[in-house]
Amino acid sequence: PEPIETITSTLILDIETNQHGILWIATEGDGVWRLVPEGAENLTTKQGLPHNNVWTIFLDSANRLWFGTFGGGLALHENGAFTTLTADDGLTSNRITSLHEDRDHNLWIGTYRGLDRLTDGVITAVTRDNGLGDDLVICIEEDREDNLWIGTAAAGTVRLKDSPFTVYESGPTGIGGMARVVLEEPGKGIWVGASNGGLNLLIGQRTEGDGMFAPVMDEPQAEFDPSMEETLERELGRDLKGSEVSRILSRQALDAFLENRKEMPRLYLWK
């Protein structure tokens, strides 16, 4: 397409840069834009994109651009052309929500009906039927120990490393609301931001235990396991109720986070 002076779309869903520093922009309804020295180029179904609603863009380790569309499946842009994978090729859904490449160069594809892994052209599906917790995947992240963290719409956050899954659902050890973003902060732990669930931090994760997520807020509703209660009681020299444990731990984390991110409380450190 001929470049124009600037993009004309207003519904922007994602942004990515390629190895040449070219900016790619995903839109709702207008396909994708790329900003080149001559201006802005708009690529749509007319140029081979399978759908004009593009939710996510991902640059893999081979410098290939992947586009997750909302209705047209997954598109790969390589050598100036689009190649498409759809449900007919094995995807759980043509509505793609998120993309992530792990350290073994598998491409993980979050969809409205599950999680797909693309390895050497072969698609393997992971769904609620084999432990995912919820089929609507919102985000995917990988930590330094090669765990995949999958944020879902209805089952909180799921940790996947081979098998089995660990599902952190709403409740004492999980996350309320829809998990929208997952981030590992080295030396601190796993942060999860959720719709109607606030900001949460995984605490107490050890080899022998899964840990739990604590809401980082003034008046959290979550309860904590007895080992954390006993630890705080020893430190404070008095008996505590479960609600007090929740408030104390969360306030400690929030205070330290706001004052100095390098001084997180001991219980919040990555184990």
Side-chain angles (χ1 to χ4, degrees):
E2 289 294 325
I4 61 175
E5 186 175 345
T6 185
I7 67 172
T8 58
S9 303
T10 58
L11 293 173
I12 308 301
L13 301 181
D14 199 9
I15 300 174
E16 180 66 280
T17 57
N18 67 9
Q19 73 272 29
H20 304 298
I22 301 298
L23 190 69
W24 289 77
I25 302 162
T27 76
E28 182 176 334
D30 292 328
V32 295
W33 293 83
R34 60 183 175 190
L35 301 187
V36 295
E38 297 79 14
E41 295 178 342
N42 187 210
L43 304 180
T44 67
T45 53
K46 294 179 180 179
Q47 285 74 41
L49 191 67
H51 203 284
N52 285 334
N53 287 340
V54 181
W55 273 34
T56 184
I57 309 175
F58 184 78
L59 181 70
D60 69 15
S61 58
N63 292 318
R64 299 176 300 178
L65 278 169
W66 298 86
F67 300 87
T69 74
F70 196 70
L74 180 67
L76 169 65
H77 189 264
E78 194 174 24
N79 300 322
F82 288 102
T83 303
T84 302
L85 293 173
T86 69
D88 291 338
D89 301 300
L91 292 179
T92 49
S93 172
N94 287 331
R95 295 182 174 184
I96 311 298
T97 58
S98 52
L99 297 168
H100 176 80
E101 181 184 19
D102 67 22
R103 290 182 179 85
D104 294 325
H105 306 298
N106 302 297
L107 183 67
W108 293 87
I109 306 155
T111 82
Y112 252 49
R113 293 187 177 178
L115 179 69
D116 299 319
R117 183 184 66 192
L118 179 62
T119 306
D120 297 327
V122 177
I123 298 173
T124 304
V126 179
T127 68
R128 185 166 49 191
D129 292 338
N130 41 23
L132 184 58
D134 181 46
D135 285 340
L136 206 173
V137 175
I138 304 299
C139 58
I140 308 168
E141 182 59 63
E142 185 177 12
D143 68 24
R144 62 179 179 173
E145 295 185 353
D146 301 330
N147 294 294
L148 277 182
W149 293 88
I150 301 104
T152 69
T157 305
V158 180
R159 185 180 67 192
L160 168 63
K161 185 173 183 179
D162 300 322
S163 62
F165 298 88
T166 302
V167 181
Y168 296 88
E169 297 185 90
S170 299
T173 62
I175 296 171
M178 180 186 295
R180 288 200 170 271
V181 59
V182 180
L183 175 69
E184 179 187 21
E185 185 177 10
K188 303 297 188 295
I190 302 296
W191 293 92
V192 176
S195 297
N196 299 319
L199 180 64
N200 301 264
L201 175 64
L202 179 66
I203 63 176
Q205 178 173 272
R206 297 173 175 84
T207 301
E208 66 274 15
D210 295 325
M212 61 181 62
F213 279 95
V216 180
M217 55 198 297
D218 284 341
E219 296 294 336
Q221 299 299 315
E223 299 290 334
F224 290 84
D225 69 9
S227 65
M228 292 184 178
E229 187 171 334
E230 293 168 5
T231 299
L232 272 182
E233 286 178 341
R234 287 195 300 269
E235 292 178 355
L236 298 176
R238 63 182 178 88
D239 293 336
L240 296 172
K241 296 180 180 179
S243 59
E244 286 187 282
V245 178
S246 177
R247 286 195 295 271
I248 291 170
L249 287 175
S250 294
R251 283 173 178 167
Q252 285 180 352
L254 180 59
D255 290 343
F257 179 68
L258 294 176
E259 293 174 6
N260 188 342
R261 298 187 71 180
K262 295 181 180 180
E263 298 297 332
M264 297 296 286
R266 176 174 56 82
L267 283 175
Y268 283 76
L269 294 176
W270 181 275
K271 301 298 182 181

